[in-house]
Amino acid sequence: GGIKQQDQVVVVEGELDLISSWQAGVKNVVAIKGSAFTQGQIRLVSRYTQKVRLALDADSAGQEATRRSIALADNLGMSVRIVEIKGGKDPDEIAQEDPKKWREMVAQAIGVYDWYVSSAMRRWEVATGEGKRGASLELAPILAGISNGVEQAHYVKLVAEKLDVSEDAVWGEVRKAQLGTTEKTVEKGRGEKAEKSRTQRLEEYWLGLVLRLAGEGGMEAITRMG
């Protein structure tokens, strides 16, 4: 089924990811042809659905793109889940080798905060004091941004368990992060450029075309364009 029928879209990076995903049976998919979602692309997608599953590459660039995309999509009111890319470098590789595995991977997409925690635990050696410090410094601002108190307490407890430290220790880092959030946000906003680059305009044009073709079931046309 397509994006409107399933009321959700799977976002991948490139045309090969899109084509392989379609052939594997995940057809509610679009390719952003760039390193991360732009605001313009998110607005295009929002005409079809408010539910996004990000399936960007497993490398460090893809992980950073996922973080930027989460922030943008969340700010524009989209519901976001993350497809964890495991057993391959990108959706194209996984979908070609094992179509069933790709379908299951998409179906098992996890929540944003679960992904942040999982990502940090993979990249830091949390058995060491230095690793615990690094993971906590990375996660504290994210935990500080959770507006619902119950949800925030859930993830503070989860992080404390993963790091094998007390919840009080994690709460301490969260409170430190909360104190610095407003000033950093204001400073960041001053430095952002409003003007779109030519690349962004091209990427948004591509995505709009793919969305229209996908809505009409025109995968053959998309394949020819690739």
Side-chain angles (χ1 to χ4, degrees):
I3 295 165
K4 284 188 175 180
Q5 293 94 326
Q6 294 200 31
D7 189 26
Q8 68 176 16
V9 62
V10 179
V11 176
V12 296
E13 287 190 29
E15 301 101 313
L16 293 178
D17 297 313
L18 183 151
I19 293 166
S20 294
S21 181
W22 178 279
Q23 292 172 340
V26 178
K27 299 184 177 182
N28 56 322
V29 59
V30 296
I32 56 177
K33 279 182 71 70
S35 59
F37 244 168
T38 65
Q39 286 193 14
Q41 290 173 337
I42 294 169
R43 289 194 178 98
L44 282 171
V45 167
S46 70
R47 298 176 189 173
Y48 295 80
T49 181
Q50 293 295 310
K51 299 175 184 177
V52 174
R53 296 196 173 196
L54 292 171
L56 306 184
D57 292 1
D59 60 18
S60 57
Q63 298 293 288
E64 181 56 34
T66 298
R67 290 181 181 83
R68 296 200 306 274
S69 299
I70 288 169
L72 278 174
D74 187 60
N75 286 341
L76 292 173
M78 305 290 280
S79 172
V80 184
R81 295 183 76 81
I82 314 299
V83 179
E84 291 194 286
I85 307 300
K86 296 178 178 178
K89 68 180 187 297
D90 55 27
D92 174 44
E93 185 176 295
I94 295 164
Q96 285 201 52
E97 290 182 2
D98 191 339
K100 182 182 177 184
K101 180 181 177 182
W102 174 240
R103 292 193 298 271
E104 290 174 349
M105 203 172 282
V106 171
Q108 293 164 4
I110 62 176
V112 165
Y113 297 116
D114 290 291
W115 179 80
Y116 275 125
V117 173
S118 174
S119 176
M121 297 307 154
R122 281 198 306 271
R123 287 179 293 100
W124 291 96
E125 181 50 70
V126 296
T128 68
E130 185 179 3
K132 292 182 199 297
R133 178 180 180 276
S136 67
L137 287 174
E138 177 180 318
L139 291 170
I142 294 161
L143 298 176
I146 302 176
S147 57
N148 181 274
V150 173
E151 186 178 24
Q152 186 182 51
H154 167 82
Y155 285 105
V156 166
K157 181 178 181 181
L158 177 63
V159 170
E161 290 173 351
K162 296 280 188 182
L163 296 179
D164 193 24
V165 298
S166 72
E167 288 183 47
D168 285 344
V170 178
W171 277 117
E173 294 305 312
V174 170
R175 292 188 184 101
K176 287 181 193 175
Q178 285 171 331
L179 290 174
T181 298
T182 303
E183 184 178 341
K184 288 178 182 177
T185 302
V186 170
E187 198 62 37
K188 183 180 177 183
R190 287 175 181 160
E192 288 179 348
K193 293 181 179 178
E195 185 179 355
K196 289 181 183 178
S197 69
R198 180 173 179 274
T199 300
Q200 284 180 323
R201 291 195 297 272
L202 287 171
E203 288 171 358
E204 287 167 18
Y205 170 78
W206 157 266
L207 183 62
L209 187 58
V210 169
L211 282 165
R212 288 195 297 275
L213 290 168
E216 296 164 4
M219 188 59 201
E220 294 78 6
I222 295 172
T223 305
R224 286 199 300 273
M225 287 168 54

